[in-house]
Amino acid sequence: MSDATPSTAPGTAPGTEPLGYDDMARDIAEVPAVEVIVTVAVNLMSAAAVKLGLTEEGDEHKDLDEARKLVQALAGLLDASATEISTFHASPLRDGLKSLQLAFREASLVPDEPGQGPGEKYTGPVWG
């Protein structure tokens, strides 16, 4: 066993001190809400794509139950924030959501009824 400690803590650059809670709060305070919302949406989209098997590893991480939850959360976030973010930000996110919903429908062995798929209570039925 070694007494060596990592040269940097997670979230810090080499040669710098770890950020404390106050430093992180100040950093996030400078980020516009739209950027936070878009970042969360992109993370949900990425996680859903992995769970739908749309990555290079394909079926290795495929889990439609988990994908359903992520797509539902993404749809809820976009629905709730639609009036808060501009069309510039919302349009590509809605397009991505629709693509994930279609991929979910295609991956399902027993497809949901129209309007019953993940997120469709927010978006309405999704058709190809």
Side-chain angles (χ1 to χ4, degrees), residues 8-95:
T8 61
T12 60
T16 62
E17 292 295 316
L19 292 176
Y21 178 76
D22 291 338
D23 295 324
M24 288 187 288
R26 262 193 303 278
D27 287 346
I28 198 70
E30 296 171 10
V31 179
V34 170
E35 286 186 38
V36 174
I37 293 167
V38 169
T39 299
V40 170
V42 169
N43 285 330
L44 287 168
M45 291 172 78
S46 297
V50 169
K51 297 297 183 178
L52 285 167
L54 301 176
T55 60
E56 288 181 15
E57 292 84 21
D59 289 341
E60 184 179 338
H61 301 291
K62 190 173 184 176
D63 184 337
L64 294 184
D65 185 51
E66 290 291 303
R68 177 183 294 276
K69 294 171 189 170
L70 292 162
V71 172
Q72 182 76 13
L74 174 62
L77 174 65
L78 294 182
D79 184 57
S81 63
T83 60
E84 305 301 326
I85 61 177
S86 67
T87 302
F88 176 78
H89 294 290
S91 290
L93 294 174
R94 281 193 298 266
D95 291 344

